[in-house]
Amino acid sequence: MLQRTWLLGLVIAAAPLGCNKSSGICMTPGCEASVPVAVVDDGGPGGRLRPGAYTFRVVTDYAEKSWSCALPADDCALDFFTDFADGEDDGTLSVLARAGETGLELEVLETRGNIWSGPAKFVVAVERDGVTVVEETFEPRYEEPLVPDACAVCLKRKGADLVVHVPAE
């Protein structure tokens, strides 16, 4: 899956938390809070997305992002970050994506105050050539680390890998 240093997000989010650490970064370097999702094409070799005009959409309870690309010309890359308001707990949503040999690789990260994890519930939808081919809803489960960070909680998703299957036809 995608490798990402969440350093910019950590600095932005840690600053208002009032951490006493001099760097302002509260997370351990091994934080794996983002949720990886693979979008694989059951009709493509090795899961690779077949040629076409695609629109991908990630929807959470508080934020949404859609982007379009054409394969094989584009890599369908996305590096998206937005703030959202949720009553007393404002947060951020980050979505990373890149198409590769084994399909589209996504990473979804949500922060709320000092809690870092994937969203409690989210939808991944795929449209090819103007037709919605799949829409999948996920409700991942998370576990707290054995050794908590000084001023933030990095929740790791537990369970099997999340995969969205684009049907062969």
Side-chain angles (χ1 to χ4, degrees), residues 4 6 10 27-36 94 107-111 114-119 122 140-143 145 152-158:
R4 166 82 186 235
W6 300 100
L10 293 172
M27 302 300 290
T28 60
C31 177
E32 297 178 15
S34 65
V35 175
S94 176
E107 285 191 18
V108 183
L109 174 68
E110 189 174 273
T111 66
N114 70 338
I115 306 293
W116 292 68
S117 71
F122 66 100
R141 298 186 65 203
Y142 301 95
E143 60 188 1
V153 178
C154 178
L155 302 180
K156 184 176 181 180
R157 185 193 61 80
K158 59 183 186 176

Side-chain angles (χ1 to χ4, degrees), residues 11 13 22 25 67 71 75 93 95 111 114 140 146:
V11 171
S22 60
I25 299 174
W67 70 102
L71 290 174
D75 67 2
L93 173 68
V95 180
T111 66
N114 70 338
L146 295 176

Side-chain angles (χ1 to χ4, degrees), residues 1-2 33-40 49 56-58 67 94-100 102-109 118-119 121-126 134-140 142 157 160-165:
M1 295 308 280
L2 296 172
S34 65
V35 175
V37 180
V39 178
V40 298
L49 296 171
F56 300 99
R57 185 170 44 101
V58 175
W67 70 102
S94 176
V95 180
L96 294 171
R98 180 183 59 81
T102 58
L104 182 79
E105 298 173 352
L106 288 171
E107 285 191 18
V108 183
L109 174 68
K121 181 178 179 181
F122 66 100
V123 175
V124 175
V126 179
V134 65
E135 184 172 300
E136 186 85 29
T137 300
F138 296 103
E139 294 185 55
Y142 301 95
R157 185 193 61 80
D161 292 342
L162 303 182
V163 180
V164 174
H165 289 274

Side-chain angles (χ1 to χ4, degrees), residues 14 17-21 24-27 113-116 148-153:
L17 293 176
C19 294
N20 293 324
K21 296 186 178 187
I25 299 174
C26 298
M27 302 300 290
N114 70 338
I115 306 293
W116 292 68
D149 197 280
C151 60
V153 178

